[in-house]
Amino acid sequence: MNMPASPYIVVIGSLNTDIGGHTSVPFKRADSNPGRITKTYGGTGHNIACNISLMGFPVKFITAFGDESDELRAHCADMGLDVSESLTVPGGQSSTYLYIDDSNGEMIAAVSDMEIYSEITVDFIKYKMDVLNGALVVVFDTNIPQETIEYIAENCTRPLVCDPVSTSKAKKLKNCLGHIAALKPNRVEAEAITGIRIPNGAAAYEAVDYLIRAGVKRVFLTLGEYGVVCADSSGRNVVDTFISNPVDVTGSGD
């Protein structure tokens, strides 16, 4: 692969305003739980883009903004993300994610308002293909429509890296696994893609082998406290988890 003259990485995906409720006592359903409420910025694509930027790589972040987006755009600028190729949807509602964590930092429930990403259509992305094909790597999450994912897979000449996001959205990848250079599912996302139940390590190996046979070049299957199963055509390895006391697991896979 030839190195672009001015290397950059493209990330396509979600940018959310995250509103989190964090209980200070064991969570009790159908009751008011004491705790604290936070407002931050998240979204799988955003989180990945920020991490890449923090490592020193220029990032062109392609997402969708609603009408009231000045605060979101300012945040992206602060993080060093170039959003000039992003979509603005007149009358649109920028994406919002609402979640509740228990006193151990584990997520209890969440609601996502992400309809705006349906506007990242094939017609929109067609006009961005020169940007994608000029990148060192293109990373995408599955919050964008399946048709757009498949168009990118068929027409992008740069290595594609994907985070499947969730079980329902992971299924969008089934027709284009052979185009993906690296895939990072968690256990339930891998189950959704492969149809293989993963109750143990042996089944995890079966799932990553399935994905490699389907054409994915590299797989990083995350298993929480049990580590990450890494695989390519030459074999598999397990990387142990090194964080033992998480404060908040929301977005940690990104």
Side-chain angles (χ1 to χ4, degrees), residues 2-51:
N2 294 325
M3 181 78 73
S6 299
Y8 61 88
I9 293 173
V10 167
V11 179
I12 308 168
S14 58
L15 165 61
N16 308 325
T17 299
D18 287 350
I19 301 172
H22 311 267
T23 67
S24 55
V25 297
F27 182 79
K28 186 175 181 180
R29 292 178 59 86
D31 197 4
S32 177
N33 291 264
R36 60 189 177 89
I37 295 174
T38 60
K39 176 183 174 182
T40 57
Y41 300 105
T44 299
H46 160 272
N47 295 345
I48 294 170
C50 287
N51 286 329

Side-chain angles (χ1 to χ4, degrees), residues 2 5 15 31-32 41-42 48 66 76 79 86 91 100 110 112-113 115 117 146 152 180 197 203 217 225 246:
N2 294 325
L15 165 61
D31 197 4
S32 177
Y41 300 105
I48 294 170
C76 289
M79 294 303 301
S86 290
I100 297 175
S112 59
D113 180 357
E115 181 60 29
Y117 299 118
Q146 181 173 343
I152 293 169
I180 296 176
R197 187 170 172 270
K217 301 300 186 295
E225 62 184 289

Side-chain angles (χ1 to χ4, degrees), residues 117-135:
Y117 299 118
S118 65
E119 300 291 339
I120 302 181
T121 62
V122 171
D123 287 341
F124 168 76
I125 215 70
K126 281 180 180 178
Y127 290 99
K128 306 297 177 182
M129 289 310 299
D130 286 347
V131 177
L132 271 63
N133 289 330

Side-chain angles (χ1 to χ4, degrees), residues 18-248:
D18 287 350
I19 301 172
H22 311 267
T23 67
S24 55
V25 297
F27 182 79
K28 186 175 181 180
R29 292 178 59 86
D31 197 4
S32 177
N33 291 264
R36 60 189 177 89
I37 295 174
T38 60
K39 176 183 174 182
T40 57
Y41 300 105
T44 299
H46 160 272
N47 295 345
I48 294 170
C50 287
N51 286 329
I52 293 171
S53 180
L54 288 169
M55 289 190 290
F57 292 96
V59 179
K60 294 184 183 293
F61 182 32
I62 299 177
T63 188
F65 294 102
D67 283 335
E68 298 181 4
S69 60
D70 289 350
E71 192 175 331
L72 288 168
R73 291 175 188 272
H75 165 73
C76 289
D78 289 343
M79 294 303 301
L81 307 181
D82 176 359
V83 295
S84 61
E85 301 294 339
S86 290
L87 175 67
T88 299
V89 181
Q93 169 70 42
S94 292
S95 179
T96 304
Y97 180 67
L98 173 68
Y99 67 95
I100 297 175
D101 285 349
D102 66 16
S103 54
N104 295 317
E106 294 287 343
M107 188 175 70
I108 296 168
V111 177
S112 59
D113 180 357
M114 307 178 74
E115 181 60 29
I116 197 168
Y117 299 118
S118 65
E119 300 291 339
I120 302 181
T121 62
V122 171
D123 287 341
F124 168 76
I125 215 70
K126 281 180 180 178
Y127 290 99
K128 306 297 177 182
M129 289 310 299
D130 286 347
V131 177
L132 271 63
N133 289 330
L136 182 62
V137 174
V138 175
V139 185
F140 67 94
D141 70 35
T142 56
N143 287 301
I144 62 178
Q146 181 173 343
E147 295 81 5
T148 305
I149 290 171
E150 292 177 358
Y151 181 85
I152 293 169
E154 292 288 343
N155 293 278
C156 185
T157 60
R158 294 298 177 177
L160 295 175
V161 178
C162 178
D163 188 309
V165 176
S166 70
T167 55
S168 60
K169 295 173 183 177
K171 297 174 184 178
K172 298 178 184 180
L173 300 173
K174 287 189 174 183
N175 296 332
C176 55
L177 293 173
H179 296 278
I180 296 176
L183 181 68
K184 191 223 61 87
N186 61 23
R187 179 182 60 80
V188 293
E189 292 159 0
E191 289 179 340
I193 298 169
T194 66
I196 298 168
R197 187 170 172 270
I198 308 175
N200 52 43
Y205 289 156
E206 183 182 355
V208 296
D209 288 348
Y210 174 101
L211 292 166
I212 296 298
R213 289 195 303 270
V216 180
K217 301 300 186 295
R218 294 180 178 88
V219 178
F220 302 90
L221 171 53
T222 60
L223 300 171
E225 62 184 289
Y226 300 107
V228 182
V229 179
C230 309
D232 62 16
S233 59
S234 67
R236 330 181 198 95
N237 193 18
V238 177
V239 178
D240 292 334
T241 300
F242 60 88
I243 297 175
S244 59
N245 295 299
V247 174
D248 185 342

